[in-house]
Amino acid sequence: MKQTDIEILIEDLKQNGTYIVCALPIEANHTKNIFYSGLGKINAAITTMDILKTHNIKKLINYGSCGAVNPNLSGIIKISKFLQHDIDCTPLGFERGITPYDDIQEITFSNDTDYTCASGDYFVSNSDKILSDVVDMEAYAIAKACKRNNVQYECYKYISDNADENASKNWEKNCAKGFSMFIDILKG
């Protein structure tokens, strides 16, 4: 599919209330009509809230790259469960990944897959303590903003690396490779 056709497809989705957010332009072939949040949960949350406040959104789709914690995964996957892996209040008696005094912890948006994404504000190169299928830096924040605002949310992640000692090199080499697969999903 040509780039102009992809941009028309994404614009058509927007006309029907479906918007796409991605962390970095490189992950989406610098495609127009996509919102780019920048890396990390704070940037993702701010961008998502800006989108939700200024547009009539029925559904928000997050696409991006991720690291696989589950060694049996590859390609592009749809995520249904979201959690944080980097919040650590264990000295206060809470489990790692739990935000104290917050009603929303693990977020589930659909039951059509069993894949879980753990988000955190650091690039994972050792996933030993993370209980999840994949890791990223934005999906949980976007999911939480959508949940609080009653907006449908879908999340597709392309596995660019294995969240291990080679993750940074593999991410740089692979982060843009999944976008055409994502477009195929959007086309149906």
Side-chain angles (χ1 to χ4, degrees):
M1 191 172 208
K2 292 190 294 188
Q3 188 67 20
T4 54
D5 294 332
I6 291 170
E7 291 169 0
I8 290 169
L9 170 67
I10 293 169
E11 182 60 32
D12 288 346
L13 288 169
K14 284 171 68 175
Q15 296 302 317
N16 291 312
T18 297
Y19 289 70
I20 299 169
V21 64
C22 182
L24 300 172
I26 191 172
E27 294 175 306
N29 198 25
H30 299 271
T31 300
K32 295 177 186 170
N33 298 322
I34 291 177
F35 289 94
Y36 297 104
S37 67
L39 291 175
K41 293 184 293 185
I42 292 173
N43 286 330
I46 290 168
T47 299
T48 301
M49 291 306 297
D50 286 346
I51 296 167
L52 296 177
K53 285 189 329 190
T54 58
H55 298 0
N56 185 20
I57 295 184
K58 295 177 185 167
K59 182 193 297 183
L60 189 61
I61 300 174
N62 172 224
Y63 167 74
S65 59
C66 67
V69 176
N70 178 341
N72 299 317
L73 295 178
S74 63
I76 191 167
I77 60 173
K78 183 178 182 184
I79 309 294
S80 61
K81 295 177 187 165
F82 306 89
L83 50 98
Q84 297 184 88
H85 69 76
D86 64 341
I87 188 156
D88 187 355
C89 293
T90 53
L92 298 174
F94 296 93
E95 290 180 40
R96 183 181 173 94
I98 298 296
T99 303
Y101 317 110
D102 191 339
D103 293 339
I104 300 174
Q105 300 293 331
E106 182 178 293
I107 300 168
T108 301
F109 264 92
S110 69
N111 292 319
D112 54 344
T113 73
D114 288 329
Y115 297 124
T116 300
C117 179
S119 298
D121 281 330
Y122 66 88
F123 193 87
V124 176
S125 59
N126 180 343
S127 60
D128 289 347
K129 294 182 179 181
I130 300 173
L131 301 174
S132 179
D133 292 302
V134 297
V135 291
D136 86 333
M137 298 174 80
E138 299 83 25
Y140 179 85
I142 299 167
K144 190 166 186 175
C146 287
K147 183 170 182 70
R148 285 191 180 260
N149 288 279
N150 297 312
V151 171
Q152 293 178 0
Y153 178 58
E154 288 183 11
C155 180
Y156 297 90
K157 294 293 180 176
Y158 177 74
I159 297 168
S160 59
D161 60 82
N162 290 320
D164 59 14
E165 66 278 353
N166 297 313
S168 61
K169 286 183 256 172
N170 290 332
W171 179 84
E172 287 182 47
K173 186 171 54 174
N174 297 320
C175 72
K177 291 182 177 178
F179 189 64
S180 62
M181 292 179 231
F182 173 64
I183 294 301
D184 288 342
I185 291 168
L186 292 179
K187 290 189 313 189

